[in-house]
Amino acid sequence: MRKQAGSWMIKVILFAIVIVFVFWGVGSFRSQEATKVATVNDEIISVAEYRRAYNNLIDQYRQRFGSSLNDGMIEMLNVKNQALNQLIDRTILLQEAKKLDLRVSDAEVAESIMRTEIFQNNGSFDNRRYQNILAQVHLTPEEFEADQKNVLLGEKLTRIIMGAAKVSEAEVRQWYDWQNTSVNIDYVLFEPASYSDIKPSAEEIAAYFSAQKENYKTDPMVKTRYVVFDPDAYKDQVKVDKDEITDYYDSNMSEFKTEKTVEARHILIKLDPEANEEADLTAKTRAEEISKMAKGGQDFAELAKTYSEGPTKDRGGYLGKFQQSQMVKPFADEAFSMAAGEISEPVKTQFGWHVIKIESVEEASTRTIEQSREQIIDTLTGRKAQNLAYDRAEQFYERCFEKDDLVNNAKILELAVMETGAFSRRGPDALGSDKGTFATAAFALQTDEISDIQDIDGRYYLIQPTETIDAAVPGMEAVKERVEADLTKKMQSDKAREDAEAMSADLDAGKPFEESSAGYGISVKQTGLFTRNASIPEIGSDPTFTEAAFQLSSAGSTSDRPLQGSAGYYLLRLSERKIPAADGFETEKDGISSMLLQQKQRTVIQDWIDARKTDSQVSIEKEYLE
């Protein structure tokens, strides 16, 4: 086990987890083992299912957060509860689907599997690939297909439930107005740094340190020695022969193929998918007129800027270069049947009617083995050097495992032993981008313990801590400058808040904004108009300021208390509120409607599941969540 505990095994396990996640989202439901984590209406959720769901979530977060994911973050994210809730929701969904007598045919299962990209080779379903991938995750086709039927059944009911979600034009307009309303704010800022005359006494510094000792605790540190096996150091030992180049070329032809691309512009006349025949004919007629103008010699880019209703209007309808699969089918079929310089008749898609102009065409091509030789040699050299580096690391690891002495074993094998000096959990700076992962591995070891093979950014490390330095509170003299600086900032902030609260009291008593601010030697500034998601002029991004600004309802109204922003304490007065013009609404309407519909659909399905959950008998084995 120890011999195989290196990074390659970890990669295989993670690969299996990723594959399972791709297939089922939160795990397979085939297992009905006696050991259970919960029951839902007498249906068991097994420990195996729960572990699979938990591992899938951990892998998601690992991909998102990388090496910064630790036990504390996992606890904060409440991954255990997330995994169990997903399984309970899925179980309830499937139970309800069966109650409604929803069914999934074998043909539907087969079609969904054949459409799954991971089972395809060059765009077509590959049965051998399908069988091999399932074998890698220890599943038979029968087991996977039963799971897939459940997935499709759940999706069927989900679509029915989400069909109840509707978005009215009034809701779209309300959101548009909310998002695009702008305000102009008069404000005063009490900046803590401006109170530069504040100087804490020696007694105050000592008292502050005594109360805040834990904040000055040093980080735990560790010193290590290590041996690294860098694949780059083994490249000069690698040879790639002619047969290997040929085999690689023949087995990876897709790497050397370039699909046909076209470069195009288009003019879009929008049409609602639910539009009647009259609206359809009107849009098509407009597109035909524009096509005639373009074919008559008028500049296509200028026509697009004038008539197009699509997002590329301001770029003269320019779409750039694209492959056929990157565009919707009717558009792509037409574009890829045209020659450079040609202008199309109107083409209808779900977006409306398009007029297309082809700027250039690059036909599909395949590089020859001679043209690809250097690329193949580089790839194979890298792979062989990687394997060679790992083999050397494994040989060294085995020797260290048998004779627990990293230094002497390295000396015998003429390997360099590096030392880091003391470092915190941030890692040793000398290792650059590798330092965080290196530190995670080092802090997981006991003093003098030799690590397994650690794959860190393609290099293989064996690490041995030589000394552990515990966190400790230093004497005040060691951190006096830092303590004094911290206390000074606190006292300045307290004074700024005190003055801001005093001015707020002046305003409550009826004192004019400008007169009150002048009493504190502060001038009134104005932001200029800004929207909720925009950077505030002269201030930048300050969510606290923005939130308070948009709560002011009428011109002249002021914030009821000081608010602490990133630069200090603010008091605000609304100068102007501006509702957005209607002309921009038409351009953004469809996108907003789609976004709101997706939000409503998510809410509808969750509310539906929560209601069924209330009516269900759910029993949870609490020990799995502790």
Side-chain angles (χ1 to χ4, degrees):
M1 283 291 289
R2 274 190 63 111
K3 282 173 66 177
Q4 301 188 60
S7 60
W8 68 270
M9 180 62 77
I10 294 169
K11 287 180 178 176
V12 169
I13 293 168
L14 288 179
F15 173 74
I17 291 170
V18 170
I19 293 295
V20 171
F21 180 76
V22 170
F23 291 169
W24 300 288
V26 295
S28 165
F29 286 81
R30 63 191 172 88
S31 175
Q32 294 295 329
E33 298 175 13
T35 308
K36 64 183 180 181
V37 69
T39 57
V40 181
N41 299 322
D42 297 324
E43 184 173 340
I44 289 173
I45 295 176
S46 72
V47 173
E49 293 173 84
Y50 171 71
R51 285 175 180 160
R52 191 175 292 123
Y54 178 84
N55 286 337
N56 288 332
L57 282 172
I58 291 294
D59 190 57
Q60 273 187 285
Y61 286 125
R62 186 177 287 114
Q63 290 178 36
R64 185 184 304 175
F65 297 117
S67 60
S68 62
L69 183 68
N70 55 34
D71 290 344
M73 287 182 66
I74 290 170
E75 186 175 346
M76 181 185 69
L77 291 165
N78 206 4
V79 177
K80 290 181 178 180
N81 269 307
Q82 281 192 58
L84 184 56
N85 285 332
Q86 285 183 355
L87 290 170
I88 291 170
D89 290 353
R90 180 67 64 90
T91 303
I92 289 171
L93 190 70
L94 291 175
Q95 288 175 351
E96 292 296 322
K98 288 167 185 174
K99 282 182 190 177
L100 294 169
D101 201 28
L102 296 180
R103 299 185 184 183
V104 173
S105 68
D106 291 343
E108 288 174 292
V109 174
E111 184 184 356
S112 75
I113 291 171
M114 292 177 76
R115 284 202 317 265
T116 303
E117 190 173 337
I118 201 168
F119 298 140
Q120 294 179 353
N121 188 11
N122 292 326
S124 299
F125 178 73
D126 185 330
N127 188 57
R128 180 181 295 178
R129 183 178 176 84
Y130 173 61
Q131 301 273 352
N132 287 342
I133 290 174
L134 293 188
Q136 288 176 44
V137 292
H138 310 296
L139 282 174
T140 66
E142 291 78 17
E143 289 169 336
F144 174 65
E145 286 156 22
D147 283 323
Q148 189 69 1
K149 181 170 281 193
N150 275 342
V151 170
L152 295 175
L153 184 61
E155 288 176 353
K156 239 178 204 186
L157 181 53
T158 298
R159 284 195 297 271
I160 293 170
I161 297 165
M162 291 196 308
K166 306 291 180 189
V167 176
S168 68
E169 183 157 333
E171 289 175 299
V172 177
R173 182 55 196 258
Q174 184 180 17
W175 193 93
Y176 172 80
D177 286 347
W178 182 88
Q179 182 76 358
N180 293 287
T181 291
S182 55
V183 293
N184 187 8
I185 299 293
D186 300 323
Y187 69 93
V188 292
L189 170 61
F190 291 84
E191 292 183 88
S194 67
Y195 296 85
S196 56
D197 57 333
I198 290 178
K199 303 288 182 187
S201 67
E203 292 77 12
E204 288 173 320
I205 294 170
Y208 183 77
F209 175 72
S210 180
Q212 304 290 330
K213 279 183 179 179
E214 287 299 309
N215 293 338
Y216 298 97
K217 213 173 196 179
T218 59
D219 291 331
M221 309 276 276
V222 65
K223 293 181 180 180
T224 67
R225 60 171 69 103
Y226 66 90
V227 177
V228 60
F229 298 85
D230 189 338
D232 286 346
Y234 294 90
K235 284 184 176 179
D236 60 355
Q237 301 178 30
V238 170
K239 291 183 180 179
V240 177
D241 62 38
K242 185 177 178 181
D243 289 342
E244 289 176 307
I245 295 171
T246 302
D247 286 346
Y248 185 89
Y249 182 80
D250 292 341
S251 301
N252 298 276
M253 285 296 295
S254 59
E255 282 187 34
F256 311 107
K257 289 182 178 178
T258 303
E259 288 188 37
K260 178 180 178 179
T261 62
V262 300
E263 181 182 20
R265 297 179 184 272
H266 82 133
I267 296 167
L268 171 63
I269 304 301
K270 281 188 176 180
L271 182 68
D272 191 298
E274 305 299 323
N276 57 30
E277 288 185 17
E278 183 180 352
D280 184 39
L281 181 60
T282 300
K284 182 181 180 183
T285 302
R286 283 188 64 199
E288 287 173 338
E289 292 168 354
I290 294 166
S291 177
K292 286 179 183 176
M293 287 189 281
K295 289 180 178 182
Q298 293 193 40
D299 187 279
F300 193 93
E302 292 304 316
L303 289 172
K305 289 178 182 178
T306 304
Y307 297 107
S308 183
E309 297 170 351
T312 61
K313 173 179 180 173
D314 293 339
R315 301 198 302 272
Y318 186 66
L319 293 167
K321 295 180 179 181
F322 53 87
Q323 297 171 357
Q324 190 162 2
S325 60
Q326 293 175 299
M327 294 292 173
V328 292
K329 193 172 189 309
F331 187 101
D333 288 349
E334 181 68 18
F336 277 78
S337 69
M338 297 167 63
E342 193 174 349
I343 296 168
S344 75
E345 292 298 317
V347 178
K348 188 178 181 183
T349 72
Q350 67 261 43
F351 304 109
W353 287 94
H354 306 256
V355 178
I356 306 167
K357 181 185 178 185
I358 302 301
E359 300 283 343
S360 66
V361 176
E362 290 183 13
E363 296 295 341
S365 61
T366 302
R367 282 181 291 150
T368 65
I369 191 169
E370 285 305 318
Q371 292 170 326
S372 310
R373 182 176 298 277
E374 289 304 315
Q375 176 189 332
I376 295 170
I377 290 172
D378 286 346
T379 300
L380 292 177
T381 299
R383 286 185 184 179
K384 285 188 170 189
Q386 196 84 30
N387 291 337
L388 195 55
Y390 185 82
D391 289 343
R392 297 290 185 270
E394 192 172 39
Q395 290 168 10
F396 182 61
Y397 175 78
E398 288 173 352
R399 190 176 185 94
C400 290
F401 181 58
E402 292 165 3
K403 298 178 180 179
D404 201 13
D405 189 330
L406 184 139
V407 174
N408 284 331
N409 284 316
K411 211 175 275 184
I412 291 167
L413 296 178
E414 298 183 341
L415 298 170
V417 177
M418 312 297 289
E419 296 192 356
T420 60
F423 60 87
S424 70
R425 292 186 184 276
R426 290 185 291 275
D429 291 334
L431 292 183
S433 61
D434 291 356
K435 67 180 184 178
T437 310
F438 185 96
T440 300
F443 273 89
L445 299 168
Q446 301 296 318
T447 302
D448 293 329
E449 181 183 2
I450 299 173
S451 73
D452 298 332
I453 299 169
Q454 301 295 314
D455 181 351
I456 303 177
D457 198 23
R459 288 178 284 273
Y460 302 109
Y461 290 81
L462 271 82
I463 305 166
Q464 183 180 44
T466 56
E467 183 182 350
T468 299
I469 305 166
D470 293 333
V473 176
M476 195 187 79
E477 287 304 315
V479 290
K480 184 177 179 181
E481 287 184 10
R482 183 177 154 205
V483 175
E484 183 176 358
D486 290 347
L487 178 56
T488 301
K489 284 182 181 178
K490 180 182 182 301
M491 293 172 72
Q492 289 173 329
S493 180
D494 290 346
K495 180 58 177 170
R497 184 182 67 251
E498 180 186 320
D499 285 355
E501 288 171 347
M503 178 173 166
S504 181
D506 289 347
L507 298 177
D508 289 343
K511 199 170 185 178
F513 202 79
E514 281 79 2
E515 182 183 338
S516 180
S517 68
Y520 296 92
I522 298 176
S523 60
V524 177
K525 297 181 180 179
Q526 192 171 81
T527 61
L529 289 166
F530 65 94
T531 59
R532 293 176 194 272
N533 291 327
S535 177
I536 306 165
E538 304 300 322
I539 292 175
S541 177
D542 194 323
T544 306
F545 188 106
T546 298
E547 182 181 358
F550 280 90
Q551 286 175 353
L552 301 174
S553 55
S554 57
S557 60
T558 59
S559 49
D560 56 3
R561 63 183 184 279
L563 60 104
Q564 185 176 8
S566 55
Y569 293 89
Y570 293 94
L571 286 165
L572 316 183
R573 179 178 65 188
L574 179 62
S575 175
E576 179 187 2
R577 176 182 288 269
K578 187 176 180 182
I579 303 300
D583 54 359
F585 175 65
E586 289 301 319
T587 304
E588 297 186 32
K589 180 172 67 174
D590 291 345
I592 295 170
S593 179
S594 175
M595 180 268 295
L596 292 179
L597 180 60
Q598 289 176 22
Q599 289 180 353
K600 275 198 173 184
Q601 287 172 335
R602 286 193 293 269
T603 301
V604 165
I605 189 66
Q606 193 58 56
D607 288 349
W608 184 91
I609 289 174
D610 289 344
R612 299 304 176 280
K613 199 182 289 186
T614 302
D615 296 335
S616 298
Q617 292 184 343
V618 179
S619 173
I620 297 171
E621 304 296 323
K622 298 292 185 184
E623 64 265 25
Y624 289 102
L625 300 180
E626 293 174 355

